[in-house]
Amino acid sequence: MSEHKTVDETTLENLLYLSRLSPESTDMATLKKQVDEIVGYFDILSKYDDSENPYDAYPSTEAEKLREDDIVPGLEMKDVKKINEKEFMDGYFQVPKVLGEGA
């Protein structure tokens, strides 16, 4: 890898504290090398151009393409009764029982 930023001892101690690791339970040289490699990966990623808007890949909906919010009359009860005469009883629709053994 090319020359990149490294983590100093204070930052490494803070990382150990945040991750609830103790210096006694960890090989500090190995851990410092691994953290330095991770920081190096961020250096590699920062070379790529990210100025492009990631939301440009998805289609957008413009407000003027949406339907108008007009109030229209609903169905009359007599029309509903005509359509579903067999399932309509005393102003209610009969539906199959969903509780009990059938559920």
Side-chain angles (χ1 to χ4, degrees):
M1 280 190 165
S2 64
E3 190 62 35
H4 54 78
K5 298 175 187 174
T6 59
V7 176
D8 61 355
E9 295 298 322
T10 306
T11 306
L12 189 59
E13 292 293 329
N14 290 336
L15 286 172
L16 286 173
Y17 174 74
L18 289 172
S19 62
R20 305 293 191 251
L21 294 173
S22 64
E24 297 85 35
S25 67
T26 308
D27 179 24
M28 293 298 286
T30 305
L31 183 64
K32 182 167 179 7
K33 181 179 178 244
Q34 291 173 345
V35 171
D36 286 342
E37 287 177 0
I38 292 170
V39 171
Y41 293 136
F42 283 105
D43 288 341
I44 293 169
L45 290 174
S46 67
K47 293 178 184 177
Y48 293 97
D49 180 28
D50 62 347
S51 62
E52 183 178 316
N53 186 354
Y55 298 107
D56 288 342
Y58 302 103
S60 62
T61 305
E62 297 175 14
E64 55 268 6
K65 291 184 179 177
L66 297 176
R67 66 171 173 80
E68 294 293 322
D69 196 16
D70 295 331
I71 298 174
V72 295
L75 295 173
E76 295 290 328
M77 191 55 75
K78 60 182 172 134
D79 297 330
V80 173
K81 187 177 178 182
K82 287 180 188 175
I83 295 171
N84 298 314
E85 197 168 331
K86 293 179 183 176
E87 292 88 18
F88 199 77
M89 186 171 117
D90 296 331
Y92 297 99
F93 288 100
Q94 289 182 335
V95 295
K97 183 177 179 180
V98 294
L99 300 175
E101 294 180 17

